[in-house]
Amino acid sequence: MQDTPRQGLGPRLPPVDKWTLLLCSFILAAAWGQMNFTGDQVLRILAKDEKQLSLLRDLEVLKPQKVDFWRGPARPSLPVDLRVPFSELGDIKAYLESHGLAYSIMIKNVQVLLDEEREAMAKARRLERSTSSFSYSSYHTLEEIYSWIDNFVTEHSDVVSKIHIGNSFENRSILVLKFSTGGSQRPAIWIDTGIHSREWITHATGIWTAKKIVSEYGKDGILTNILKAMDIFIELVTNPDGFAFTHSMNRLWRKNKSSRPGAFCIGVDLNRNWKSGFGGNGSNSNPCSETYRGPSPQSEPEVAAIVDFITGHGNFKALISIHSYSQMLMYPYGHSMEPISNQKELYSLARDAVKALYKVHGIKYIFGSISTTLYVASGVTVDWAYDNGIKYAFTFELRDTGRYGFLLPATQIIPTAQETWVAMRTIMEHTLNHPY
């Protein structure tokens, strides 16, 4: 009797060992010109007390540019997520174990998620080209987003316009979408996404939100009332240089791309570069740090452009700055533990927004001031907004809580955007109904 043929499988291949896979990944990455994260792991550490948190903070000094905190050491009740390069895994795990720091592996191989993400983007791009459409459930490059903006503004010119508010360090356009039903200098709401370039879910959520506004105007009573009295401004790519770099070279890049004579490392954390509390705790003076604040407040063109635009406008009533990840909704202050004057109002509003968000897909958010909910962070967007008279200043940390971290699968874009929308609408409605 003949063997039954193994249709379509061809000859049986020998098992591939992990070193061969590593080599193949490096070759592929080199071909794409991208940084490779094969074998890198994200570890989750639960610190028992301040002493253990201090040991974790020491890692940034002991291993400069070798460890990447996805969720930094904040307080014992919050987990710390740490990406460790493959070459450093042995040393870091030994350090944790020797100090009694318990850890678990959240992501076993970062490159696997990156490969899946890239494959999903390529598949979506092929589908978009064949159907001449834009997929709101996919991630996109800077060029694709800017092209979408132009088409979007053309299609909805009765409600949307594009404003150029400045240029980035590498001279890319900084664009803002304005949603308005007429009038000038009306009370306004500001929304920004992507100030940290690796937080791709934020850009995607912003794009979906823009589409939601034009499709729901005239149908959704709350939104319609808001747009009859107020304008909404959305900055989709707040850090265009960094975002372009996450696609071309380093998917996990956080800062902008500015460089200065004599500085070995490039980039400033744009969410530490604002004037309020500049240079305080939770920011860093070392240019190689992920939280490097820059040489002076508003030294970065990406921050200065927003400051000039918002202050020049003079009538913004709410500001919402969108980040990922951790599932949190927070308000000022970041630089101080002191409660703000309308703390009770913002606490109540955050609670209502989080309740509305939960009803959409059952996702739980925690809420409170930045310094008491997350950690002390100085020079942040919402502190500046609040100190400059914008009473309703909030920051979101979107999905998830660490299973994927910054590499949230595109299948979660629309659910994330849907739930974030109702929370934002809650804040916008309150702003409309409580003029000041």
Side-chain angles (χ1 to χ4, degrees):
M1 272 181 70
Q2 285 185 311
D3 289 337
T4 307
R6 296 164 62 247
Q7 289 186 336
L9 292 176
R12 191 183 297 277
L13 297 170
V16 181
D17 65 58
K18 71 172 185 177
W19 295 108
T20 307
L21 283 173
L22 274 170
L23 182 62
C24 289
S25 286
F26 278 123
I27 291 167
L28 281 171
W32 280 318
Q34 299 240 350
M35 235 176 113
N36 192 278
F37 298 92
T38 299
D40 288 21
Q41 294 186 346
V42 177
L43 307 181
R44 168 156 291 183
I45 304 122
L46 294 168
K48 293 174 188 170
D49 49 37
E50 280 298 326
K51 185 185 176 186
Q52 289 199 335
L53 283 174
S54 183
L55 287 165
L56 288 170
R57 291 187 190 107
D58 289 347
L59 271 174
E60 195 172 9
V61 180
L62 293 168
K63 294 281 188 180
Q65 295 176 269
K66 297 291 186 184
V67 293
D68 174 16
F69 283 107
W70 284 18
R71 291 181 75 170
R75 52 177 47 87
S77 59
L78 292 174
V80 174
D81 292 348
L82 180 67
R83 180 183 63 82
V84 183
F86 179 70
S87 60
E88 299 289 335
L89 275 174
D91 281 0
I92 299 295
K93 287 179 179 178
Y95 176 87
L96 297 175
E97 288 160 8
S98 69
H99 289 96
L101 287 155
Y103 67 86
S104 57
I105 299 171
M106 292 296 284
I107 301 175
K108 196 173 182 180
N109 187 340
V110 170
Q111 191 63 41
V112 169
L113 293 185
L114 293 180
D115 290 344
E116 288 172 358
E117 182 178 74
R118 195 176 289 129
E119 199 176 305
M121 281 184 72
K123 188 177 178 182
R125 193 173 286 124
R126 287 193 296 270
L127 185 63
E128 285 178 332
R129 283 172 181 164
S130 66
T131 57
S132 300
S133 62
F134 184 89
S135 170
Y136 291 89
S137 58
S138 304
Y139 292 121
H140 294 89
T141 64
L142 181 71
E143 292 76 16
E144 288 166 346
I145 292 171
Y146 277 15
S147 174
W148 172 84
I149 286 174
D150 288 340
N151 293 331
F152 181 70
V153 168
T154 302
E155 286 172 30
H156 305 284
S157 56
D158 54 329
V159 184
V160 192
S161 56
K162 178 180 81 170
I163 304 171
H164 178 277
I165 66 165
N167 288 82
S168 66
F169 182 83
E170 294 181 338
N171 208 35
R172 290 182 174 88
S173 294
I174 301 172
L175 305 177
V176 173
L177 290 174
K178 178 184 180 181
F179 298 80
S180 181
T181 56
S184 61
Q185 299 304 103
R186 298 202 304 175
I189 294 158
W190 174 274
I191 300 168
D192 65 71
T193 61
I195 197 167
H196 289 147
S197 47
R198 63 187 175 186
E199 298 167 7
W200 283 10
I201 184 58
T202 68
H203 312 86
T205 295
I207 293 166
W208 186 94
T209 300
K211 178 68 171 174
K212 182 74 171 175
I213 291 170
V214 297
S215 60
E216 292 296 305
Y217 175 67
K219 299 173 189 171
D220 178 320
I222 295 169
L223 173 66
T224 304
N225 288 337
I226 291 164
L227 272 181
K228 279 180 179 175
M230 307 181 82
D231 295 338
I232 300 171
F233 293 81
I234 303 181
E235 184 178 11
L236 293 173
V237 190
T238 307
N239 178 4
D241 297 346
F243 185 59
F245 195 62
T246 63
H247 285 276
S248 66
M249 184 60 68
N250 180 354
R251 171 63 179 86
L252 298 175
W253 187 261
R254 167 186 168 98
K255 302 187 284 183
N256 75 347
K257 291 297 303 303
S258 67
S259 58
R260 282 175 178 82
F264 177 69
C265 296
I266 62 169
V268 168
D269 181 344
L270 297 177
N271 200 38
R272 299 294 185 276
N273 189 239
W274 301 75
K275 195 171 183 180
S276 292
F278 180 84
N281 290 335
S283 68
N284 204 304
S285 60
N286 179 358
C288 295
S289 168
E290 290 286 5
T291 54
Y292 174 52
R293 59 182 170 249
S296 59
Q298 294 151 216
S299 59
E300 304 313 293
E302 298 87 355
V303 171
I306 301 172
V307 170
D308 291 347
F309 183 78
I310 289 178
T311 52
H313 181 283
N315 205 14
F316 276 91
K317 303 298 182 184
L319 177 143
I320 300 168
S321 189
I322 301 181
H323 292 253
S324 73
Y325 62 96
S326 286
Q327 293 172 199
M328 297 175 175
L329 176 56
M330 297 172 289
Y331 47 82
Y333 279 124
H335 73 269
S336 167
M337 301 291 281
E338 288 295 311
I340 53 174
S341 59
N342 63 330
Q343 191 269 341
K344 286 183 180 175
E345 183 187 14
L346 295 198
Y347 178 91
S348 175
L349 179 50
R351 183 190 60 211
D352 292 346
V354 163
K355 277 184 182 175
L357 185 151
Y358 176 77
K359 286 178 182 174
V360 182
H361 295 295
I363 296 295
K364 292 180 180 177
Y365 270 53
I366 60 174
F367 61 95
S369 74
I370 297 168
S371 58
T372 60
T373 308
L374 188 53
Y375 45 57
V376 172
S378 303
V380 302
T381 314
V382 291
D383 284 7
W384 174 85
Y386 188 82
D387 284 346
N388 281 271
I390 300 175
K391 188 175 172 183
Y392 301 112
F394 288 91
T395 186
F396 281 82
E397 293 281 353
L398 303 183
R399 295 189 189 188
D400 57 8
T401 55
R403 167 64 186 88
Y404 294 100
F406 300 121
L407 306 177
L408 196 71
T411 51
Q412 293 195 42
I413 291 172
I414 289 177
T416 301
Q418 287 170 335
E419 67 202 14
T420 307
W421 166 249
V422 296
M424 286 198 290
R425 192 182 61 177
T426 302
I427 294 167
M428 293 192 288
E429 183 183 19
H430 184 92
T431 305
L432 172 69
N433 294 335
H434 296 80
Y436 63 94

